[in-house]
């Protein structure tokens, strides 16, 4: 079993920072950055879970839902990762997205 604690912690931390961010920060791009991350994490999880099927894109549920979307997508991905390298790559994606979001 792969230890995905680092991924779930990174996702939860980013989500918490988004929830604490002012609306102006979300509007200036933090929410859009989070949505793009959620879509990528969800895409990766779907590729593993349903090989050969075209991944569905996570919908834009609005800036106030972005934190929940990365939480769900990140935790879903954590369930299907197969090795430490995949975990490290996912953590890198989350960390970089959080930095770009500025939260």
């Amino acid at each position: 079993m792969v230890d995905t604690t680092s991924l779930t912690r990174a996702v939860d931390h980013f989500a918490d920072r988004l929830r604490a961010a002012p609306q102006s920060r979300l509007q200036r791009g933090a929410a859009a950055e989070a949505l793009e991350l959620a879509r990528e994490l969800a895409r990766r999880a779907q590729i593993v879970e349903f090989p050969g099927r075209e991944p569905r894109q996570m919908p834009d549920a609005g800036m106030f839902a972005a934190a929940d979307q990365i939480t769900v997508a990140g935790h879903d991905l954590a369930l299907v990762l197969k090795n430490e390298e995949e975990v490290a790559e996912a953590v890198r994606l989350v960390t970089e997205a959080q930095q770009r979001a500025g939260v």
Side-chain angles (χ1 to χ4, degrees), residues 33-55:
E33 187 65 48
L35 175 61
E36 287 306 309
L37 173 64
R39 285 177 170 168
E40 178 60 19
L41 298 177
R43 184 189 72 77
R44 289 174 183 235
Q46 289 177 63
I47 287 170
V48 173
E49 288 183 290
F50 308 107
R53 189 174 92 182
E54 184 69 26

Side-chain angles (χ1 to χ4, degrees), residues 1 16 19 24 32 35-37 54 60-61 70 74 77-78 100:
M1 182 118 200
D16 289 344
R19 289 183 186 103
S24 61
L35 175 61
E36 287 306 309
L37 173 64
E54 184 69 26
D60 183 347
I70 65 167
L77 180 60
R100 287 191 301 271

Side-chain angles (χ1 to χ4, degrees):
M1 182 118 200
V2 177
D3 182 7
T4 59
T5 305
S6 59
L7 175 57
T8 56
R9 283 185 182 159
V11 167
D12 291 346
H13 181 259
F14 188 10
D16 289 344
R17 301 291 298 154
L18 285 169
R19 289 183 186 103
Q23 183 175 347
S24 61
R25 171 78 60 178
L26 297 175
Q27 290 171 323
R28 285 194 312 264
E33 187 65 48
L35 175 61
E36 287 306 309
L37 173 64
R39 285 177 170 168
E40 178 60 19
L41 298 177
R43 184 189 72 77
R44 289 174 183 235
Q46 289 177 63
I47 287 170
V48 173
E49 288 183 290
F50 308 107
R53 189 174 92 182
E54 184 69 26
R56 292 175 280 178
Q57 186 178 60
M58 182 176 282
D60 183 347
M63 71 177 147
F64 298 114
D68 293 333
Q69 288 181 295
I70 65 167
T71 300
V72 169
H75 285 254
D76 283 352
L77 180 60
L79 292 173
V80 299
L81 293 178
K82 294 181 169 92
N83 59 56
E84 295 298 324
E85 292 79 23
E86 291 177 349
V87 174
E89 172 66 10
V91 170
R92 184 189 62 76
L93 290 174
V94 173
T95 302
E96 289 175 358
Q98 182 174 353
Q99 289 171 348
R100 287 191 301 271
V103 296

